[in-house]
Amino acid sequence: MDKKAFTFIELIMVIAIIGILSVSGAWIMTYFVQNSVYIPNQLNTDMVANEALKIMVEGDSAAKGLRFCQAVNTITSNNQFTFTNQAGQAIVYTLNTGTGILYRSINGGANAQIPYYPGVSITGQSGSLFTYYDASEAVTAVAANVRRIAINLIASTGSGSYNDWQGQSTQSTSIAVK
């Protein structure tokens, strides 16, 4: 009597092939799902960092930014300073390192968060958002000697790590001060 059925070897081969396909399929699915979360987070942090630098350098409808700086008034820390722009407005930029929120105050008014995006925190490179340089390009803490301000801004969601499906953007610029 002839029996038609699969042999044990054929069954093992089918199970092995299905296992290999499911492992690679699971990896591909994880990759696509992770990137569908990571890429929007990364784009959001890029947008926040770019917008923050734009407001600090160029300004907005409320006040002109650092590009229009006439004088640096005071340097409180590497995360806060006051300057006067060409319109005569006293502008204060303050980075709250505890909350990761960047504030701007105009003429002693209330602090306004810039830019406003919930869930994104801002820090400075090595804990310093601003670095001040004198005419000889040496770092200075004397407001009257400042001739250039470097801004090193890091915007991140959560840890900023790809492995945690978060985003991080590091952007820098430098502004000459008259």
Side-chain angles (χ1 to χ4, degrees):
M1 179 154 96
D2 268 343
K3 292 186 180 181
K4 301 221 176 202
F6 292 110
T7 65
F8 183 68
I9 299 293
E10 290 172 331
L11 286 175
I12 295 297
M13 293 303 291
V14 168
I15 291 171
I17 291 170
I18 289 172
I20 291 169
L21 291 175
S22 64
V23 167
S24 63
W27 181 84
I28 290 170
M29 183 60 94
T30 301
Y31 175 79
F32 281 122
V33 169
Q34 185 171 8
N35 280 322
S36 70
V37 174
Y38 170 76
I39 291 172
N41 282 339
Q42 183 62 40
L43 292 173
N44 190 34
T45 56
D46 285 341
M47 180 181 64
V48 168
N50 186 33
E51 185 69 15
L53 278 180
K54 180 182 170 201
I55 291 171
M56 285 192 292
V57 172
E58 297 296 328
D60 57 12
S61 61
K64 293 183 177 187
L66 279 169
R67 191 166 70 88
F68 304 97
C69 178
Q70 289 295 318
V72 175
N73 301 346
T74 58
I75 297 174
T76 307
S77 70
N78 287 340
N79 292 314
Q80 180 179 20
F81 77 99
T82 306
F83 72 96
T84 303
N85 64 17
Q86 289 176 347
Q89 297 170 309
I91 310 294
V92 180
Y93 289 124
T94 306
L95 175 63
N96 183 326
T97 55
T99 62
I101 298 174
L102 180 62
Y103 295 102
R104 176 182 66 185
S105 173
I106 303 170
N107 289 330
N111 283 335
Q113 183 176 344
I114 60 166
Y116 178 74
Y117 292 99
V120 177
S121 64
I122 294 176
T123 59
Q125 192 110 28
S126 302
S128 298
L129 181 60
F130 306 107
T131 307
Y132 314 99
Y133 296 94
D134 62 15
S136 62
E137 287 299 307
V139 175
T140 185
V142 179
N145 295 343
V146 174
R147 294 298 171 259
R148 184 172 65 89
I149 300 172
I151 304 170
N152 296 305
L153 182 136
I154 302 169
S156 60
T157 56
S159 67
S161 169
Y162 174 80
N163 293 332
D164 294 335
W165 302 18
Q166 306 294 320
Q168 179 172 313
S169 179
T170 302
Q171 297 190 21
S172 301
T173 192
S174 184
I175 303 298
V177 176
K178 296 179 183 177

